[in-house]
Amino acid sequence: MNFPLSFFLGFICTAGLFVLCYILVIGAKTLLFAVKKFLPKKELPVPVEVEKPTPKKPKTVKSIEIDPAFVDKIYVKKSS
């Protein structure tokens, strides 16, 4: 064989192989999507909601009495 004919034959075979692979991939993807579409979907079980016990807030004290004879310092923590 001469060089130009061998070159074009190799190029055509490479391009043909590329097109064949492209068609196979697109066909496989189309077939996969079609099969997924017609298969029944799995139903997920509905989670049961469990009521969490709410932590009880301590009652706020509106006023307190302090005896100055027994207390030297008072520390107050600011709550939000």
Side-chain angles (χ1 to χ4, degrees), residues 51-59:
E51 293 183 22
K52 296 179 183 176
T54 57
K56 296 180 181 179
K57 292 183 179 178
K59 293 183 180 180

Side-chain angles (χ1 to χ4, degrees), residues 13-74:
C13 287
T14 304
L17 185 63
F18 177 78
V19 170
L20 179 68
C21 290
Y22 183 79
I23 291 171
L24 285 174
V25 168
I26 297 298
K29 279 185 147 184
T30 305
L31 184 66
L32 183 66
F33 284 131
V35 168
K36 278 187 178 180
K37 184 178 179 181
F38 290 114
L39 285 178
K41 294 182 180 177
K42 294 180 184 176
E43 294 185 16
L44 296 176
V46 179
V48 178
E49 293 184 21
V50 178
E51 293 183 22
K52 296 179 183 176
T54 57
K56 296 180 181 179
K57 292 183 179 178
K59 293 183 180 180
T60 57
V61 178
K62 299 290 182 182
S63 63
I64 58 170
E65 293 180 19
I66 300 173
D67 187 8
F70 295 110
V71 178
D72 292 334
K73 292 182 181 179
I74 299 173

